[in-house]
Amino acid sequence: MDQLRHDTPWTALDALEAEAIFILREVAAETERAVVLFSGGKDSVCVLRLCEKAFRPQRIPFRLLHVDTGHNFSEVIDFRDRRARELGAELIVAEVEQAITDGLVRPHGPTESRNRAQIPVLLDALERLGAQAAIGGARRDEEKARAKERFFSFRDSFGQWEPRRQRPELWDLYNAGVHPGDQLRIFPLSNWTELDVWRYIRRERLELPSVYFAHERDVVWRDGQWLGVHAPVVVPKPGEETTRLRVRMRTVGDVTCTGCIPSEADDLSGVIAEVAAARTSERSGRADDRVNETSMEDRKREGYF
Amino acid sequence: MNARTTALAPRPTAGLRDDIELLRFATAGSVDDGKSTLIGRLLYDAKALFDDQLEDLARHADLARLTDGLRAEREQGITIDVAYRYFSTEARRFVIADCPGHRQYTRNAVTGFSQSDVAVLLVDARHGVVEQTRRHALLASRFGTERIVFCVNKMDLVDFGEDVFRRVERELAELARALELPPDAIDVLPVSALEGDQITSRSARLAWFDGPSLLERLETLPVRTEPASAAGRFAVQLTLRPEGDAARRRYAGKVVTGRLSVGDEVTVLPSGQRSTVVSIETFDGPQAVASAPRDVALRLADQIDVGRGDLIAVGAAPPLERRRDAIVCWMSENDARAPRALELKHLSRRIKCRLRHIAHHVDLDTFAPSEQEAPRLALNDLARVQLDLAAPLPIEGTTGAHPLARFILIDPQTRDTVAAGYFV
Ligand SMILES: Nc1nc2c(ncn2[C@@H]2O[C@H](COP(=O)(O)OP(=O)(O)OP(=O)(O)O)[C@@H](O)[C@H]2O)c(=O)[nH]1
């Protein structure tokens, strides 16, 4: 008995972790066939660790789903597959490429961002899986339109978010009951900031795709940010010049719009120091969000995560 | 706006340490008391703003803009929903639940208070305690916690005068007495959100005030609001059944009050079966003790029937109730009359219940039973009601601050959450 641990002091990370574990357990109990959206990105890596904490030694009661735009960093895809295997989880990949072939979505051009194209592919996958809930790693601090997002966000059968239809969330008494056809998006990391995520990754010693740490990469300056050269979708246009820089990614999304930032941070402590001192918010590195102030709100209404 | 002229100090490396605590606070006030300005000021002075936000601030010269929400709300020029903001100092990590002030958004304010350790309520120094102050103090202390920090704002408009402040302070002490709040649960601080006095540092213009700045107070207030002496209670969310190890079922859930230790004799409610805690497990290893609000999994000595919604109690078990009075805040646009069939969620248990009788409405300004006839509950009404419970519930505590007193009501048809309440 003496070897058993007593409670350690209750830190901010403990409080955020406890909130998320509680939510994941409520989702498992109150919804059918929930999936975790797993991209291999840092936020979803945290969500998977929280699932382990919520359900071990049982298996995690959710399947993993990734909507693959086909424009992803190969390191991230390899990592995604490996992590799912390690967890013994079933990973379902819904491919935008396939959806284009099937005529579900129509691309505007070969080098266009496929963020918007993800929406119908995600909705189609959720419908085919019969998933009542999709759990994601989105955080309220990412963007203004998310500041009022609920932990349990209601979407109609078209995946649309209607601010007026959202339910009040009192204490930790979550109501996840939905009608057939309606869906929930669940955001257990709602109250986390970018810095919390990094501190949690350090505390939990979580592995991440290498693109999150400083590395040499050929980049071009486009739309006010550095984009990694990634043939054939990101190649220098006339007038653009390829530069080799030491960079890292703050988010891992579609290669056509995920900016790199010049960085020397090649380990977690380095990244944490950089994030703590950062002078721009995380999504300022994503061209898709900068189109206009309310672009996220618009995409959310359409069913984007 | 000061934002244009103030030189930017480099952002401190706040939040680098892993051992800081989290404090959740809700902000509310009447229209134009300066709540948005206050939050903007806190974020600005705590250097919690990014360059892109500062640019926006410089363009529009309005601290209040930082807390602007959705386009839908901007178009209507009103704040409807609770918005969450985050910042860190060297000492703490903060979650702000920014609540709308208007009376027609009572339900949103209740939501924000329920999510917080502390309520920060704004009072305009020129006006003192007004209707909204009383209403927010009532809702915060019943649906949130008893801890309230009143900021007497716009001190610059009353020449930083001590007399004005003391008068408002006396009104607030009177209000706290009317609400039966313990005197040490209340702080009253003079501030100027616009000019930054007494927000993150002491102000020479308020030198007569020997209390802390708002931020200092927020950095030192106790985070946990529950009495440490509360009895050990564990709410079961799920039964974990490891494959091939069915005999070693674990009950996953949360310690909602007090603490549990290995070896504790416990009662499972509502069944009343007794057993002993054999182990307390987490992903990070077994523990000898777990205190609220930790998520753990328990193993019990006996193979008894335990499932989602059950309560595992250490020591004297709370009474089981089939009929109770409660205070509810009605949150639906559809009115309700008694009798009415509803669903109730208490801890992780959902049961059927009947709204048997509406005793009286609570006047949000005087806190007294209101004279009006009370045949129905409309949006934002606060009322005392009687509920018939289809299954016995273990109930403890007398306000929403206690996890065993609070509940939500759900409309079985629409499946929406229609009320928040606590048993009295
Ligand atoms: N002189 C002075 N004016 C202030 C102070 N704080 C806020 N104001 C002004 O009061 C007005 C209202 O402030 P806001 O912060 O927008 O008020 P609010 O309480 O958020 O109002 P809602 O958004 O309607 O809820 C603005 O013109 C502010 O500049 C203060 O400390 N001193």
Side-chain angles (χ1 to χ4, degrees):
Chain A
M1 193 87 6
D2 288 343
Q3 284 94 320
L4 289 181
R5 291 179 308 127
H6 277 255
D7 285 343
T8 42
W10 188 246
T11 66
L13 286 182
D14 294 329
L16 294 169
E17 176 186 74
E19 177 175 84
I21 291 174
F22 184 85
I23 287 168
L24 291 169
R25 287 174 170 172
E26 287 298 288
V27 176
E30 293 208 339
T31 69
E32 305 283 335
R33 295 174 295 279
V35 297
V36 175
L37 296 179
F38 181 51
S39 60
K42 66 182 189 309
D43 304 299
S44 52
V45 163
C46 290
V47 173
L48 288 187
R49 167 49 53 92
L50 292 161
C51 286
E52 291 183 273
K53 294 208 175 197
F55 304 110
R56 293 300 189 210
Q58 191 192 271
R59 69 180 181 81
I60 297 170
F62 309 127
R63 287 184 284 186
L64 313 185
L65 172 65
H66 183 216
V67 179
D68 187 344
T69 60
H71 290 170
N72 282 302
F73 300 100
S74 57
E75 302 91 310
V76 179
I77 296 302
D78 293 344
F79 171 81
R80 175 198 74 187
D81 294 345
R82 184 155 47 79
R83 187 75 189 110
R85 257 197 318 276
E86 284 165 6
L87 288 168
E90 185 184 346
L91 170 70
I92 294 148
V93 179
E95 288 173 354
V96 172
E97 199 68 59
Q98 186 63 43
I100 293 170
T101 312
D102 295 349
L104 179 68
V105 289
R106 199 164 300 131
H108 296 293
T111 60
E112 200 77 12
S113 158
R114 289 182 168 178
N115 262 345
R116 265 208 135 86
Q118 278 178 285
I119 302 173
V121 181
L122 171 68
L123 296 178
D124 176 65
L126 292 176
E127 190 175 319
R128 284 198 279 161
L129 293 170
Q132 272 185 355
I135 303 162
R139 310 186 316 268
R140 289 181 183 133
D141 84 320
E142 284 176 56
E143 219 271 345
K144 260 186 180 180
R146 285 207 200 273
K148 302 190 174 192
E149 185 60 280
R150 305 289 201 276
F151 289 108
F152 289 70
S153 176
F154 281 76
R155 308 299 166 95
D156 64 15
S157 53
F158 301 98
Q160 298 180 104
W161 176 75
E162 177 48 62
R164 291 188 182 277
R165 271 197 60 207
Q166 302 304 312
R167 292 174 180 171
E169 291 183 340
L170 286 307
W171 301 290
D172 52 7
L173 297 173
Y174 301 107
N175 169 15
V178 288
H179 284 292
D182 285 357
Q183 289 173 5
L184 285 167
R185 303 290 163 83
I186 318 272
F187 303 113
L189 306 187
S190 287
N191 279 331
W192 298 42
T193 62
E194 186 183 9
L195 193 54
D196 295 323
V197 167
W198 282 106
R199 287 162 62 223
Y200 193 68
I201 288 165
R202 178 172 64 183
R203 189 182 92 169
E204 297 293 319
R205 300 174 213 273
L206 298 175
E207 195 191 329
L208 286 182
S210 54
V211 297
Y212 279 115
F213 300 100
H215 57 282
E216 302 269 327
R217 185 178 287 270
D218 287 335
V219 292
V220 292
W221 182 253
R222 184 180 298 170
D223 301 332
Q225 64 179 347
W226 294 107
L227 279 186
V229 173
H230 193 107
V233 280
V234 182
V235 287
K237 293 178 184 170
E240 286 177 348
E241 217 177 294
T242 305
T243 319
R244 193 151 183 89
L245 280 185
R246 232 177 133 61
V247 295
R248 67 176 179 86
M249 315 279 167
R250 280 178 90 176
T251 64
V252 295
D254 193 289
V255 294
T256 57
C257 60
T258 303
C260 312
I261 54 167
S263 169
E264 291 298 327
D266 52 13
D267 63 6
L268 279 175
S269 301
V271 173
I272 288 171
E274 266 189 24
V275 172
R279 303 223 47 103
T280 54
S281 54
E282 181 180 329
R283 283 198 168 256
S284 66
R286 293 187 48 161
D288 48 331
D289 290 329
R290 288 184 303 142
V291 176
N292 69 61
E293 211 183 327
T294 49
S295 56
M296 171 76 92
E297 192 176 337
D298 289 336
R299 279 186 295 144
K300 236 174 84 168
R301 280 177 187 271
E302 282 178 34
Y304 182 75
F305 216 62
Chain B
M1 209 350 282
N2 306 24
R4 265 190 191 145
T5 49
T6 314
L8 286 175
R11 273 165 64 82
T13 44
L16 276 188
R17 289 167 38 201
D18 278 358
D19 58 354
I20 57 172
E21 296 173 311
L22 183 85
L23 184 89
R24 302 165 197 263
F25 65 95
T27 55
S30 261
V31 184
D32 282 348
D33 279 353
K35 180 174 55 75
S36 305
T37 308
L38 181 96
I39 295 172
R41 170 59 66 186
L42 261 180
L43 297 177
Y44 182 77
D45 284 358
K47 309 201 170 46
L49 298 177
F50 292 116
D51 278 353
D52 36 343
Q53 294 170 301
L54 287 168
E55 253 172 56
D56 183 72
L57 193 59
R59 247 194 332 271
H60 300 278
D62 182 5
L63 276 173
R65 216 185 123 79
L66 289 168
T67 63
D68 251 4
L70 303 173
R71 178 181 50 193
E73 293 182 345
R74 265 201 311 280
E75 280 164 0
Q76 295 172 46
I78 46 163
T79 319
I80 298 171
D81 215 337
V82 183
Y84 294 88
R85 316 277 155 197
Y86 308 97
F87 73 104
S88 255
T89 64
E90 307 265 341
R92 269 197 181 158
R93 163 83 165 74
F94 296 98
V95 176
I96 312 178
D98 179 10
C99 306
H102 311 243
R103 185 180 198 117
Q104 65 261 45
Y105 305 118
T106 295
R107 72 170 154 181
N108 309 82
V110 166
T111 303
F113 293 136
S114 83
Q115 302 276 359
S116 302
D117 302 317
V118 186
V120 174
L121 303 185
L122 273 90
V123 181
D124 188 320
R126 297 167 301 174
H127 310 314
V129 170
V130 296
E131 183 191 314
Q132 302 283 36
T133 322
R134 303 175 62 78
R135 198 159 53 84
H136 286 142
L138 171 71
L139 297 173
S141 62
R142 299 307 190 259
F143 290 88
T145 73
E146 290 178 334
R147 279 235 149 260
I148 302 179
V149 176
F150 291 101
C151 288
V152 180
N153 188 31
K154 307 199 183 181
M155 286 302 293
D156 55 306
L157 296 183
V158 295
D159 295 328
F160 299 95
E162 180 171 6
D163 291 350
V164 179
F165 173 74
R166 296 297 172 202
R167 190 164 64 237
V168 179
E169 193 182 39
R170 276 193 300 279
E171 289 174 18
L172 289 167
E174 188 55 46
L175 171 60
R177 250 194 314 283
L179 288 170
E180 296 172 5
L181 303 181
D184 63 356
I186 301 298
D187 285 280
V188 185
L189 309 176
V191 304
S192 168
L194 189 63
E195 303 195 353
D197 297 81
Q198 210 67 17
I199 300 292
T200 55
S201 59
R202 312 269 173 118
S203 159
R205 300 193 284 189
L206 292 163
W208 48 262
F209 181 73
D210 59 6
S213 70
L214 172 61
L215 185 62
E216 281 175 79
R217 195 67 194 111
L218 294 172
E219 286 182 334
T220 51
L221 277 172
V223 167
R224 297 291 321 289
T225 47
E226 235 180 86
S229 60
R233 306 287 185 239
F234 178 84
V236 179
Q237 283 182 280
L238 284 178
T239 305
L240 299 180
R241 295 189 174 81
E243 274 155 66
D245 193 10
R248 314 194 98 203
R249 268 181 297 173
R250 287 141 174 97
Y251 307 110
K254 183 184 280 297
V255 183
V256 289
T257 64
R259 48 191 248 161
L260 274 81
S261 308
V262 171
D264 276 350
E265 295 254 323
V266 293
T267 309
V268 179
L269 296 169
S271 72
Q273 299 175 91
R274 299 184 60 86
S275 189
T276 307
V277 177
V278 171
S279 69
I280 300 174
E281 301 177 3
T282 70
F283 180 76
D284 301 299
Q287 296 195 184
V289 176
S291 48
R294 283 177 163 75
D295 300 292
V296 295
L298 299 185
R299 280 205 293 131
L300 299 182
D302 308 273
Q303 289 285 349
I304 53 176
D305 200 16
V306 181
R308 175 168 170 83
D310 286 350
L311 184 77
I312 295 179
V314 183
L320 293 171
E321 314 268 355
R322 298 291 298 247
R323 173 177 297 172
R324 268 295 276 263
D325 277 14
I327 302 287
V328 296
C329 176
W330 194 254
M331 299 190 157
S332 165
E333 265 122 38
N334 304 321
D335 295 357
R337 289 170 190 280
R340 164 88 187 264
L342 290 162
E343 210 173 282
L344 181 147
K345 190 172 182 188
H346 177 256
L347 301 173
S348 286
R349 167 167 243 125
R350 278 172 186 261
I351 60 165
K352 289 191 162 64
C353 82
R354 185 186 304 110
L355 173 66
R356 179 188 174 80
H357 171 65
I358 301 168
H360 60 75
H361 283 73
V362 177
D363 187 303
L364 289 168
D365 307 317
T366 63
F367 317 139
S370 87
E371 297 297 318
Q372 95 201 62
E373 267 299 294
R376 64 190 182 99
L377 296 173
L379 179 64
N380 296 323
D381 278 355
L382 199 65
R384 187 179 176 113
V385 301
Q386 195 172 60
L387 297 174
D388 283 337
L389 308 173
L393 290 182
I395 296 169
E396 271 176 338
T398 50
T399 75
H402 199 296
L404 270 67
R406 60 209 192 198
F407 61 83
I408 55 172
L409 295 176
I410 296 159
D411 181 323
Q413 256 85 57
T414 64
R415 316 203 72 170
D416 282 337
T417 305
V418 291
Y422 54 90
F423 294 110
V424 289

